[in-house]
Amino acid sequence: MPRHAILVIDMLNDFVGEKAPLRCPGGETIIPDLQKLFKWVRGRENDDVHLVHIQEAHRKNDADFRVRPVHAVDGTWGSDFIQELYPEEGEYIVKKRRHSGFAHTDLDLYLREENIDTVVVTGVWTNVCVRSTATDALANAYKVITLSDGCASKTEEMHEYGLNDLSIFTKVMTIDEYVAAWERGEDPWLGGGDRENKVE
């Protein structure tokens, strides 16, 4: 059977909510769907689906601030998780300083230690950190799933462009479709990617 890690990317105070300096308005709309997903994962008897929280946590003079506003500085309120989706004890947290959750972090080591074969991406922004993390997951030979209603971007157009690109190399599906596949005993990733080069 497959083993999945659901990566919850940057659902942090500096990205989600009216006071967020890099606010992703869609981030507020996906909270209820992600809460439903969290409840399902946390209620499972098996450990074949993990919740992994990806936390942007920059140093004060981070190179990222050469091109983006100052945000999510490690140890600040802005870098902390929103209360609605706060990690529970035992759920792994990966701090990152670049767009991808894999870049200069121990995410790949954690996944290999836990025998994870499939990475499931959620969070913000679809076309930036979600896409970058999914790209690196594929580069590290993981199967990748994108939960379309578990991701959001600054605008709906950015979100849709991101999903279109992600559909080339991931399985794009809704949270309900993902859960239903597990409940049927199926591997949700089957049929992923664009092997016939149909995406435009």
Side-chain angles (χ1 to χ4, degrees):
M1 289 297 293
R3 289 179 60 80
H4 288 199
I6 297 173
L7 307 186
V8 187
I9 301 167
D10 292 341
M11 294 300 288
L12 312 175
N13 291 319
D14 267 1
F15 294 105
V16 182
E18 293 183 1
K19 296 181 180 179
L22 280 183
R23 185 184 181 200
C24 174
E28 288 123 62
T29 67
I30 64 174
I31 290 172
D33 290 319
L34 288 175
Q35 287 176 318
K36 179 174 63 176
L37 180 64
F38 281 28
K39 183 177 180 180
W40 175 76
V41 174
R42 290 167 176 168
R44 289 176 62 79
E45 294 181 1
N46 297 328
D47 72 343
D48 49 7
V49 182
H50 293 213
L51 280 176
V52 179
H53 303 268
I54 310 298
Q55 179 185 27
E56 196 147 308
H58 293 288
R59 66 188 189 94
K60 290 182 179 179
N61 296 313
D62 204 294
D64 195 53
F65 302 152
R66 297 172 188 163
V67 294
R68 301 294 285 149
V70 174
H71 63 280
V73 174
D74 193 15
T76 66
W77 173 86
S79 182
D80 201 5
F81 302 96
I82 60 171
Q83 286 298 316
E84 298 92 331
L85 298 172
Y86 217 80
E88 289 190 351
E89 185 177 354
E91 294 172 353
Y92 202 62
I93 296 172
V94 175
K95 290 187 176 185
K96 70 179 176 71
R97 289 176 47 207
R98 296 294 178 261
H99 292 156
S100 170
F102 286 89
H104 311 293
T105 73
D106 72 342
L107 177 57
D108 183 56
L109 178 61
Y110 170 82
L111 298 175
R112 295 191 188 284
E113 287 178 338
E114 295 296 330
N115 296 311
I116 300 295
D117 55 45
T118 304
V119 166
V120 183
V121 290
T122 69
V124 296
W125 295 10
T126 311
N127 58 314
V128 185
C129 293
V130 173
R131 179 183 170 185
S132 296
T133 301
T135 299
D136 281 353
L138 181 70
N140 283 283
Y142 295 100
K143 297 180 287 185
V144 188
I145 294 171
T146 303
L147 298 183
S148 57
D149 53 350
C151 301
S153 200
K154 185 176 182 180
T155 66
E156 185 62 23
E157 184 179 38
M158 286 181 173
H159 174 63
E160 291 299 329
Y161 275 129
L163 288 179
N164 189 65
D165 287 347
L166 285 159
S167 69
I168 295 172
F169 62 94
T170 80
K171 171 76 172 287
V172 178
M173 60 197 313
T174 67
I175 290 171
D176 284 345
E177 290 169 339
Y178 176 76
V179 171
W182 272 106
E183 298 299 324
R184 291 192 301 267
E186 299 173 359
D187 182 352
W189 178 81
L190 292 177
D194 182 28
R195 297 182 67 182
E196 297 180 3
N197 197 31
K198 292 182 177 180
V199 176
E200 297 180 355

